[in-house]
Amino acid sequence: WKHLGNCTSDDDQKWMHRYCAPVCEACGEVCPVKPLSEDIWESGDLNRFFERVTTDEKFKRYKPTILSRPPTDDNTSTEELLELLDRNDLDHKIGPWIIVLEDF
């Protein structure tokens, strides 16, 4: 919508600045997160989250199934990654985390 001019048009500007302030770069006191605030997530947190969802006893009741996940080692070389992508013996694909919770 910003690219359509809605942040600056007379008809839409008031609404956009109230409900889409970050997009319009018109935060002032409206935005819930300050631009220079610390990151909530640290490096590796998202991976640890998915690891926990797929291995922790608390989540077993949802029957998580991994369809795709990144390599387990962050230091995987390009050559090793290509080898992993060609393997057919894995029970999941190599890529971004994609999981299904069968009983959610």
Side-chain angles (χ1 to χ4, degrees):
W1 292 336
K2 178 182 179 178
H3 296 290
L4 296 174
N6 293 359
C7 291
T8 55
S9 76
D10 291 335
D11 295 335
D12 300 316
Q13 183 178 17
K14 186 175 181 180
W15 189 92
M16 288 292 291
H17 282 211
R18 180 176 178 141
Y19 297 104
C20 302
V23 172
C24 293
E25 298 174 26
C27 282
E29 297 296 319
V30 178
C31 297
V33 177
K34 294 182 176 155
L36 299 176
S37 61
E38 291 183 30
D39 291 337
I40 294 173
W41 293 75
E42 294 182 11
S43 179
D45 281 352
L46 189 59
N47 194 59
R48 282 188 286 278
F49 167 77
F50 280 107
E51 286 282 352
R52 193 172 127 230
V53 168
T54 57
T55 59
D56 193 304
E57 280 294 320
K58 294 177 193 174
F59 292 98
K60 284 198 178 194
R61 66 183 171 157
Y62 300 118
K63 299 181 183 173
T65 301
I66 301 171
L67 302 180
S68 173
R69 64 160 298 149
T72 54
D73 182 3
D74 287 339
N75 298 319
T76 303
S77 70
T78 302
E79 186 176 299
E80 291 170 317
L81 182 57
L82 291 172
E83 287 176 19
L84 283 171
L85 291 170
D86 286 338
R87 287 180 57 182
N88 293 322
D89 62 332
L90 298 174
D91 60 353
H92 61 273
K93 296 203 179 282
I94 299 297
W97 275 104
I98 300 174
I99 63 171
V100 174
L101 302 175
E102 301 290 340
D103 287 339
F104 186 72

